[in-house]
Every structure is written in C-alpha cells, then in structure tokens.
Amino acid sequence: MSKVLLLLGDLYFIKGRTGVGVYEGNVIWQLKCDYDIVVPEEYVASLPHNANPIHISKFKKKLIKLFRFFLPIDYFFKNYDYVLTGSCCFRKSKMTKQICIVHDLMSLTEPRHYSLKQKIFSRIKFGTLKYADKIIAVSNSTKQSIHDVLNIEYNKIFVVPNVNNFFIKVKQKKDFIFIGDMRKNKNLEFLIMGFDRYLKQYDKNEILYIIGNKKFEYEKLITLVEKVNLIDNIKFPGYINETEKVEYFSNAKAFIFLSDNEGFGIPLLEAASNKIPVLCSDIPVFHEVLDDNYAIFVNNKNLNSIADGFMQIEQKKISDEDADKLNEKYSISVFSELINKIIGED
C-alpha cells in the first residue's frame, strides 16, 4: 500500500477558513487511504480516523520554508510514495511523487494587484510546479492558466472542482450581500460605485452588505462609501461566524461577486446552490461554474452595466431543478471520486 503525506499548511486548522482552507478540508476528509498529515503544534480542528497527525519542530519548519524550492522532499520526509502539497513543489525526487494543488495563478496573471516582492516570490513558487508529477487544479480556467503561463502539459493537470457544503433555507429576500476578503482583485470599489449608480438611477433604497475581515482595501472602501454618502446603504459587518453567515444568506435577495479574477469562486456556488441569484463578473471561470440559469454576468468595470445588473438580478429566480443540478455537479461524492482516483493512479 502506498505511503502518503499531506503537507498542506495550516489553512484548514485556522478559525474563519477561506476557500483554500475549505478545499483542503475536503481533501483531508475524502481521502480513502491511510495517510500522515503535518499539523500545527496546537489545533482544535478534527481529523478523520485514517489521518495520522505528525508534528515537526519549529526548526524543521524553518528549514522547509527556507529550502523547499531548492531541495527534494526526501531531504525532509523519507519513505513516502506520494506527497500532496499546496501551491508549490520541492525539487524533483527520484523516490517520492509530488501532487500539488493549485487554486489560481492570479499573482502572475493579474500582477497589477501585487507588490514587486509578491510577484518575484510567486514566480519562484509557481516555477516549482515543473517538478510536480501531477497537478490538481480547482477549475478548468486554472488548468488553462497553468498550461498557458507555465507551459505545463495538459496531461499532468487534473481538475477537481470545489464542493458546496453549505445549505440553508432562505427566509426573506431583502438584502444584497458580498462575502470574501477585501483584496484588490475583488473589485469592490467598482461594486460600491456601481451600487451607487443603481440606487440613484432607479431611485432605490436598498442595503448592500460587504462582509469579510476589515483588512487590505477596507480603509479605502469605507472612505469611498462616506464620499458617495451611502453610509446607510452599504454596511461592513466584518468577519462573521458560520451562524451569522447562515443569517446573512437567509436574508439575501442576491449575491454579488464582481472580481477581476478568481480560481473558482466558492461563495457564488454556495449562493446559487441555495437558489440565491448571483450578479457576477463576465469572466471565464464564473461561466464555468454557473450559467444564465443562475447568474447575471456584467462588465465589472462599467458602472452602467453593474447598475443594470442590480436591477435585473432583483427579478431573477432559480428553480428547484436547477439548484439540484448544481448540487449534484459539485457534490462531495464527485469530489471524493476524483481526488482518490488521482492519488491511486500510477
């Protein structure tokens, strides 16, 4: 039987998991084989019975962080047949096959959103993907980017989409919501300005909740909201827990996601699966996840397009049948079958 090591980082184990942490959690719980997994020194997140947690010293962690781009995995972890990592690989190993999960290449495809230091680091990090025996991409759009930007053969890249594990009962369709971080690629300035135009052009008095940690672009965004005098219409609740998330989704008339680029976009899948229509950017990955039965696609840099989109999304409905189709397509059973097939193939 193959010996497998998961070296994914700490994003599954932290409070307030992002999409990456949720995805890694699905990997952890859906692998059928027995495996070892590197864990933080202290953690409260649960693990399945077939996962054997292993701790490594702070010194070894520093060594791995410093030399992971330059040394093979065998230098740090011996006697494994497979190592499953996130974002980057170690040097090519004769003994251990490397499988790497890639969510997006935005730091390479959308460099304007990143500092020079981040761009240099990303070039080094993603450059290591040439050493991977297999690459798991979360979408066909990410697979295409890996091929186009890094010149990696298609037959090394396997698509395993995200899963919707979030189910609610919608109570009142009264608010617009966005949930995510406040990085530049989320295009929240245009969201605010487009919402402003929608309110004034159509004489509306609606509420938009921009939900997420008050970091990155938050100060600029709150200043913009004050400038356009929408302090009563645009709210920033900050980080919310799972119970609060259910409440916001339950009262949503539409989910708004106007990103410049995404690797997948779990929140729009969560919304559409629960029959909450989505107003989103007209970009390839969003068309891959949803179609016109679930979403209104707009030019995310055109304020009139955004304003019109808000008006159209108010009238849009998702049928029970279409919601069921989406939940079947992005089910945990499909995810499990795909991930185990990749690990099991020689």
Side-chain angles (χ1 to χ4, degrees), residues 25 67 69 74 98 114 131-132 141 143 149 163 166 184 186 189 212 221 258 271 273 281 283 301 323 340:
F67 293 109
F69 305 129
D74 315 78
Q98 298 187 78
Y114 297 85
Y131 303 124
S141 295
K143 177 176 180 174
V149 177
V163 171
F166 182 71
K184 287 183 179 179
K186 301 300 183 182
E189 288 188 39
L221 298 175
L258 302 182
S273 295
S281 311
I283 57 177
K301 299 298 184 185
N340 284 288

Side-chain angles (χ1 to χ4, degrees), residues 61-70:
K61 278 189 176 181
K62 288 181 180 179
L63 279 180
I64 293 172
K65 188 174 182 179
L66 185 61
F67 293 109
R68 57 184 167 166
F69 305 129
F70 312 108

Side-chain angles (χ1 to χ4, degrees), residues 326-338:
L326 202 62
N327 286 318
E328 183 178 347
K329 180 179 179 181
Y330 295 104
S331 68
I332 196 67
S333 60
V334 171
F335 182 96
S336 180
E337 180 181 351
L338 290 172

Side-chain angles (χ1 to χ4, degrees), residues 183-223:
R183 298 177 192 271
K184 287 183 179 179
N185 73 291
K186 301 300 183 182
N187 195 42
L188 294 175
E189 288 188 39
F190 274 86
L191 168 55
I192 290 168
M193 293 187 293
F195 185 62
D196 176 49
R197 182 160 299 189
Y198 156 73
L199 295 179
K200 292 172 181 173
Q201 184 170 313
Y202 293 102
D203 192 27
K204 294 283 188 176
N205 185 28
E206 307 285 352
I207 302 293
L208 166 65
Y209 288 98
I210 298 178
I211 303 166
N213 282 322
K214 296 180 179 180
K215 296 167 60 178
F216 306 114
E217 298 292 292
Y218 170 71
E219 295 298 335
K220 289 183 181 178
L221 298 175
I222 194 67
T223 299

Side-chain angles (χ1 to χ4, degrees), residues 3 46 60 79 125 138 155 216 288 308 323 326 328 336 341:
K3 259 196 107 174
S46 56
K60 189 171 183 178
N79 302 320
K125 178 179 75 171
V138 300
N155 61 8
F216 306 114
E288 180 182 338
D308 291 344
L326 202 62
E328 183 178 347
S336 180
K341 184 178 180 182

Side-chain angles (χ1 to χ4, degrees), residues 7 64 67-78 83 89-96 98 131:
L7 185 62
I64 293 172
F67 293 109
R68 57 184 167 166
F69 305 129
F70 312 108
L71 293 171
I73 184 69
D74 315 78
Y75 186 87
F76 305 101
F77 300 96
K78 300 182 185 300
V83 60
C89 292
F90 294 80
R91 283 279 173 173
K92 191 71 175 177
S93 168
K94 294 181 180 179
M95 304 297 295
T96 305
Q98 298 187 78
Y131 303 124

Side-chain angles (χ1 to χ4, degrees), residues 154-268:
Y154 285 119
N155 61 8
K156 286 179 62 174
I157 311 169
F158 301 81
V159 176
V160 183
N162 282 284
V163 171
N164 176 47
N165 289 320
F166 182 71
F167 299 99
I168 60 164
K169 185 175 181 180
V170 177
K171 301 175 188 174
Q172 307 176 61
K173 297 186 176 183
K174 62 176 186 175
D175 302 319
F176 296 107
I177 64 169
F178 160 88
I179 296 181
D181 61 44
M182 299 188 191
R183 298 177 192 271
K184 287 183 179 179
N185 73 291
K186 301 300 183 182
N187 195 42
L188 294 175
E189 288 188 39
F190 274 86
L191 168 55
I192 290 168
M193 293 187 293
F195 185 62
D196 176 49
R197 182 160 299 189
Y198 156 73
L199 295 179
K200 292 172 181 173
Q201 184 170 313
Y202 293 102
D203 192 27
K204 294 283 188 176
N205 185 28
E206 307 285 352
I207 302 293
L208 166 65
Y209 288 98
I210 298 178
I211 303 166
N213 282 322
K214 296 180 179 180
K215 296 167 60 178
F216 306 114
E217 298 292 292
Y218 170 71
E219 295 298 335
K220 289 183 181 178
L221 298 175
I222 194 67
T223 299
L224 176 58
V225 168
E226 292 170 352
K227 181 180 178 181
V228 296
N229 196 29
L230 288 183
I231 202 71
D232 293 328
N233 298 92
I234 299 180
K235 309 291 185 180
F236 293 87
Y239 168 78
I240 59 173
N241 60 34
E242 286 301 306
T243 301
E244 292 168 322
K245 179 180 174 181
V246 169
E247 191 65 25
Y248 279 105
F249 267 91
S250 297
N251 291 318
K253 69 166 70 175
F255 187 87
I256 318 299
F257 216 51
L258 302 182
S259 301
D260 291 329
N261 202 336
E262 293 283 346
F264 186 89
I266 290 179
L268 56 78

